[in-house]
Amino acid sequence: MKQRSTVADYFIHAFLMLLAVISISPFYNVIITSFADPAAVNEQSFYLIPTSFDLSSYEMLLKGSYIGYSVMNSLIVTLAGTLVNMLVTTCGAYALSKKGMPGRGVMMSGIIFTMLFSGGLIPFYLTIKNLHMINTYSAMILPVAVSTFFLIVMISQFRTIPRDLEESAKIDGANDIYILFRIVIPIVKPTMAAITLFYAVARWNEWYYAMLFMTETKMYPMQLFLRNMLLDVTKMARDDMGAAMVAQLSQIYPDGLKMASVVLTMTPIMLVYPFLQKHFAAGVTLGAVKE
Amino acid sequence: MKNRGLLRRMVEYKYFYLLVAPMLVYFILFEYVPLYGLMLAFKEFNFAKGITGSEWIGLANFEEIFRLDDFWVAFRNTIIIAFGRLIFEFPVPIIIAMLLNEVRKARMKKFYQVVYTFPHFLSWVIIGGILINFLGTFGVLNQLLELLGFEKVNLLVDPDSFRALIFGSSLWRDMGWGTIIYLAAIAGINPALYEAASIDGANRLKQILHITWPGIAGTVAVLFILNVGAMMSSGGGGFDQIFNLYNPAVYEKADILDTYVYRRTFAVGESFGTSTAVGLLKSVINFALLYTANRAAKRLGQEGIF
């Protein structure tokens, strides 16, 4: 159905384009600020066109010792966390997709109840503390091992697989665990890929449990490092760089340092976004249930 | 014997129990053990004695929090912000999805969608940083205002505009993500309906009102109900967002129960008992909302969340 563009079309495009500009412009600003020379910013009343390209904010940022720990912590938590997420969720979902398993009903109700009712912050905090998980990676990984929403998505995915495939493998003498990894998972690969990505993004973005349970700065993931940078950049710089660097403090361009941290923290997300956006369809199922 | 049959079936499923075991351990350790800790709401917490050993004090914790002005401020804000989200945030993705549906070039449609959705994947810590840079005293907004000869405003510390900032920043982050489900619903509409309508001479607006809208109204209704249900949950209530944006200047308008509990426990160092009581109160309201909403969604013939 080909139609000529009408006035309405132009209005719609103008509006949508305006929204796109609103969506993007803050990022533009963050990026040019992170690469700006403070002198160049001060010169102009409105720093819109980048007239300077200066890496000193990044240099300053990378000079600190905490940033290295933070990047490493975030990578560990994201990799190990996503692995734990996928293993626990996949195995659990596969078992729960079997209607014949005795006790399945009780398990499902027990799991769904947790979506409706939770103990809240204090009992949760005390639980982690009693398990001696403070200042360990496990506190950023294990309490978020399963997302109930992804679990439900996976269960319904496994249900779409025809029984015969599994049964014929069983006749050949394969056990259920072998069947899951060798036959079932390869069939639902696209869903697995989508959920892996969503989990990985969530683990990279994790800051709350880190804030609650990491009391040592060396254990901070990027998100928490960034949060502290934003709250008090000079304190961070002073703590981090030690007495020798205090002399340099006056040269710090706080906004540049903050924005360089923002850019560094969101770079991994920007890198996976092209893959993520292919899985927007998965968002149809997941978008209905807000996390 | 029935029992022997059950036992045989359990043996038959032995590998599945093995597979589900780690997940059950997770739910027990991190969901059910904390539930046990809820009894603190009725106790005077003593670190040395632990949860079980602490003394029962009946409803004294609740009586105490009900006397606190800060609690009522947070309670009121929680409800006002939750309703604000339904009024200001909920309709926007629907409108954008309907507009996107009017874009004929598939490429442009995809472009808009990809651009709008990106911020959804960033944490509120990052977005907090971006907003501070954009809206702060020396931020872009103020540079612009100054250039145009207006007075500077700092939306981040202004109690009068802070709630608008909450709704606005939420939309900025999540409107694209929100449109996905409506676009899927629109994609399910039979294209023949549009063709027939345009042959009959119905203009674009009429097609939107009489084909697109009825085509997604069911989805809208269900999502509305689910949103009402999730209104008080930590995701729906927006702890991450508010915690990363607010500051003492705006507590009176922005402090919600979740942020209040966090602050009074970890920043102020108030007793765990009263904080647990606030948390329990919130959990109960949240439960009632979610349960009712889900029943209502089911009545509409939809699956609901569970």
Side-chain angles (χ1 to χ4, degrees):
Chain A
M1 186 173 59
K2 281 265 173 273
Q3 284 178 11
R4 269 191 26 241
S5 288
T6 60
V7 181
D9 281 307
Y10 291 120
F11 270 112
I12 290 168
H13 271 293
F15 179 75
L16 293 174
M17 200 45 99
L18 179 72
L19 273 187
V21 170
I22 292 171
S23 293
I24 286 182
S25 55
F27 295 106
Y28 172 75
N29 188 253
V30 165
I31 292 167
I32 63 170
T33 308
S34 77
F35 288 110
D37 176 354
V41 177
N42 285 332
E43 240 167 55
Q44 288 167 277
S45 48
F46 188 33
Y47 194 68
L48 182 67
I49 298 144
T51 48
S52 62
F53 183 80
D54 191 309
L55 287 172
S56 58
S57 291
Y58 287 91
E59 265 169 39
M60 195 68 105
L61 183 66
L62 296 175
K63 225 181 255 172
S65 54
Y66 291 155
I67 182 80
Y69 287 111
S70 293
V71 170
M72 189 186 71
N73 292 336
S74 276
L75 288 175
I76 291 172
V77 168
T78 304
L79 291 175
T82 309
L83 187 72
V84 169
N85 282 150
M86 287 310 287
L87 266 177
V88 178
T89 313
T90 311
C91 293
Y94 185 54
L96 291 176
S97 73
K98 299 294 163 201
K99 284 200 170 127
M101 181 171 69
R104 182 189 159 273
V106 180
M107 293 177 203
M108 276 313 281
S109 317
I111 289 169
I112 280 164
F113 180 72
T114 65
M115 294 173 86
L116 297 175
F117 199 82
S118 77
L121 174 61
I122 311 299
F124 179 75
Y125 177 81
L126 289 172
T127 306
I128 302 293
K129 201 170 144 68
N130 290 338
L131 291 168
H132 303 290
M133 284 163 70
I134 306 275
N135 280 323
T136 65
Y137 289 121
S138 62
M140 296 183 271
I141 293 171
L142 298 182
V144 281
V146 180
S147 145
T148 315
F149 298 115
F150 293 147
L151 172 69
I152 290 170
V153 172
M154 267 199 209
I155 291 175
S156 54
Q157 268 294 308
F158 286 140
R159 290 253 165 87
T160 62
I161 295 171
R163 269 279 177 82
D164 330 356
L165 280 171
E166 291 163 76
E167 266 156 24
S168 62
K170 224 166 177 178
I171 292 164
D172 292 341
N175 73 42
D176 298 304
I177 296 174
Y178 182 90
I179 293 173
L180 168 63
F181 284 95
R182 284 302 160 90
I183 297 167
V184 173
I185 290 177
I187 296 174
V188 292
K189 231 187 210 162
T191 310
M192 289 287 152
I195 293 179
T196 308
L197 277 173
F198 284 116
Y199 264 141
V201 169
R203 293 296 74 78
W204 179 264
N205 282 337
E206 161 51 39
W207 63 278
Y208 180 59
Y209 293 123
M211 178 182 74
L212 283 179
F213 303 122
M214 300 306 121
T215 54
E216 285 170 20
T217 319
K218 283 184 180 175
M219 286 301 291
Y220 283 6
M222 277 302 288
Q223 302 282 341
L224 200 56
F225 173 87
L226 171 64
R227 196 181 136 74
N228 285 322
M229 276 303 244
L230 295 169
L231 286 175
D232 195 345
V233 66
T234 32
K235 182 182 177 296
M236 261 314 251
R238 201 184 311 122
D239 290 356
D240 196 13
M241 294 167 186
M245 306 290 284
V246 171
Q248 282 197 348
L249 273 180
S250 57
Q251 295 164 20
I252 286 182
Y253 170 40
D255 286 344
L257 212 49
K258 285 177 182 180
M259 291 310 115
S261 315
V262 168
V263 171
L264 221 58
T265 312
M266 69 181 186
T267 300
I269 306 287
M270 285 158 72
L271 293 177
V272 296
Y273 191 58
F275 303 100
L276 265 176
Q277 59 93 11
K278 282 185 193 158
H279 297 295
F280 278 176
V284 175
T285 359
L286 309 173
V289 274
K290 288 196 169 172
E291 260 183 285
Chain B
M1 290 268 288
K2 194 172 176 274
N3 272 350
R4 191 175 293 163
L6 180 68
L7 204 65
R8 195 182 312 129
R9 252 177 54 224
M10 287 177 76
V11 172
E12 190 188 318
Y13 278 92
K14 59 180 185 289
Y15 288 112
F16 292 110
Y17 289 112
L18 206 62
L19 286 171
V20 83
M23 176 176 279
L24 294 182
V25 171
Y26 160 81
F27 278 103
I28 290 166
L29 268 188
F30 300 114
E31 294 284 354
Y32 281 92
V33 171
L35 283 186
Y36 169 80
L38 271 176
M39 68 167 82
L40 274 184
F42 308 97
K43 287 185 163 198
E44 172 84 61
F45 184 61
N46 181 325
F47 257 105
K49 290 180 183 164
I51 296 172
T52 326
S54 293
E55 235 165 279
W56 292 99
I57 52 164
L59 295 172
N61 285 331
F62 290 92
E63 281 164 17
E64 192 184 331
I65 56 168
F66 289 154
R67 277 196 299 268
L68 297 171
D69 289 341
D70 284 356
F71 166 76
W72 290 111
V73 167
F75 189 80
R76 224 187 59 212
N77 285 336
T78 307
I79 290 169
I80 293 173
I81 291 172
F83 276 101
R85 288 190 196 280
L86 286 180
I87 296 165
F88 299 113
E89 293 177 20
F90 181 76
V92 176
I94 304 169
I95 297 164
I96 295 175
M98 297 205 315
L99 286 177
L100 280 172
N101 184 50
E102 295 301 311
V103 175
R104 295 212 188 84
K105 280 193 190 119
R107 246 223 219 129
M108 282 310 283
K109 199 164 155 182
K110 184 83 193 165
F111 165 79
Y112 288 133
Q113 215 191 336
V114 167
V115 169
Y116 300 160
T117 313
F118 178 66
H120 173 78
F121 295 100
L122 301 175
S123 69
W124 276 107
V125 177
I126 296 181
I127 298 195
I130 295 173
L131 288 180
I132 290 163
N133 179 253
F134 210 75
L135 305 173
T137 317
F138 304 104
V140 177
L141 182 72
N142 279 318
Q143 290 174 9
L144 191 66
L145 286 176
E146 220 178 9
L147 197 69
L148 298 175
F150 290 102
E151 228 173 281
K152 283 190 169 193
V153 288
N154 192 339
L155 297 174
L156 294 158
V157 293
D158 180 0
D160 294 329
S161 61
F162 197 79
R163 281 182 195 145
L165 181 70
I166 290 175
F167 304 138
S169 57
S170 249
L171 278 174
W172 181 74
R173 178 182 188 255
D174 293 324
M175 66 180 179
W177 180 249
T179 59
I180 291 173
I181 191 154
Y182 297 115
L183 284 171
I186 292 172
I189 298 173
N190 185 354
L193 288 175
Y194 289 102
E195 276 166 42
S198 78
I199 290 165
D200 287 347
N203 63 26
R204 296 269 286 279
L205 192 64
K206 279 196 170 144
Q207 291 182 25
I208 293 176
L209 290 176
H210 299 295
I211 302 172
T212 313
W213 171 250
I216 61 170
T219 309
V220 171
V222 172
L223 284 183
F224 184 79
I225 290 169
L226 294 179
N227 268 282
V228 171
M231 180 155 104
M232 292 275 273
S233 66
S234 17
F239 173 87
D240 280 25
Q241 175 192 24
I242 292 173
F243 191 76
N244 281 299
L245 293 180
Y246 83 160
N247 49 69
V250 295
Y251 283 170
E252 47 163 321
K253 291 287 173 81
D255 201 16
I256 55 173
L257 288 173
D258 285 327
T259 51
Y260 176 63
V261 169
Y262 176 85
R263 218 179 47 247
R264 76 192 303 274
T265 319
F266 294 101
V268 183
E270 289 288 346
S271 92
F272 276 24
T274 48
S275 290
T276 311
V278 179
L280 177 59
L281 212 63
K282 209 213 78 167
S283 284
V284 170
I285 300 172
N286 188 33
F287 176 81
L289 279 169
L290 278 173
Y291 187 80
T292 318
N294 211 66
R295 288 291 292 270
K298 272 190 180 152
R299 193 161 282 182
L300 280 181
Q302 300 287 332
E303 274 185 42
I305 342 178
F306 48 87

